[in-house]
Amino acid sequence: MNKYAQLLKRQWETADPTYVSSLSDPTEHFSQMGERVQEEVLELLPSLEGTDLAEESYLQKVGRLNAARQQAEEIVLAEYQPPTNSPETDEPEDWDEMSHDEQENWIRENVPAGEEQQDMLQSLESRRLTRTIVLGASYEPQDDPEA
């Protein structure tokens, strides 16, 4: 098994052990999957590598090629990930009309404590800060008539 097959086998065994145990030959299944991933990575790689630059040093080229390989692997492997069994929390229909505090309270009440809740709260805070920065940047203070 190539490195992709080994990686995918571990991921699938963790995410869906029932599926893996239902396979008649898991080693063969993941070996074939790993070979498909490798072929797709090699097919995608040239378009991500770009062309050599005249002023590019050896180390810069190695960095560029390694980054392209990692990006190709990430793109292809994303298509072979096991399905997630945890349902995603849907925001209420009136989410956009809710105030920041109402959204935060809804997340704390409806999303189980853990990584997903923290991610949602961080995203909410990030959006609030972005709105504040954008609104603050567009704000033009009025001259104080008493100054």
Side-chain angles (χ1 to χ4, degrees):
M1 284 198 301
N2 67 20
K3 69 178 185 178
Y4 304 119
Q6 293 171 5
L7 173 69
L8 290 169
K9 185 172 189 261
R10 282 192 308 271
Q11 289 175 339
W12 280 82
E13 286 172 339
T14 302
D16 195 353
T18 307
Y19 171 75
V20 175
S21 65
S22 72
L23 297 171
S24 60
D25 187 356
T27 302
E28 179 63 24
H29 174 80
F30 288 105
S31 290
Q32 290 176 359
M33 190 183 290
E35 288 175 22
R36 284 194 307 271
V37 168
Q38 186 170 1
E39 289 170 6
E40 290 180 32
V41 166
L42 291 174
E43 186 178 308
L44 180 59
L45 200 52
S47 65
L48 298 174
E49 287 177 339
T51 57
D52 291 348
L53 304 173
E55 67 277 358
E56 185 176 49
S57 73
Y58 171 76
L59 290 178
Q60 289 171 326
K61 180 176 181 174
V62 169
R64 178 175 50 83
L65 297 179
N66 284 338
R69 175 170 292 283
Q70 289 174 346
Q71 186 179 11
E73 289 174 344
E74 183 179 321
I75 291 168
V76 173
L77 283 169
E79 299 173 18
Y80 289 89
Q81 295 302 302
T84 176
N85 291 336
S86 61
E88 290 190 21
T89 306
D90 291 332
E91 298 166 346
E93 288 185 29
D94 61 344
W95 180 259
D96 292 330
E97 288 79 39
M98 294 169 75
S99 71
H100 175 83
D101 290 338
E102 291 171 328
Q103 290 174 342
E104 183 176 343
N105 288 336
W106 185 91
I107 292 170
R108 292 186 187 284
E109 292 171 4
N110 294 286
V111 179
E115 189 174 329
E116 182 182 5
Q117 184 188 73
Q118 289 303 313
D119 288 346
M120 290 181 77
L121 290 170
Q122 287 175 349
S123 176
L124 179 65
E125 184 63 15
S126 175
R127 287 193 306 263
R128 184 186 70 76
L129 290 173
T130 300
R131 280 195 302 268
T132 301
I133 291 168
V134 169
L135 291 174
S138 64
Y139 174 75
E140 295 180 24
Q142 301 295 320
D143 291 332
D144 186 4
E146 296 180 19

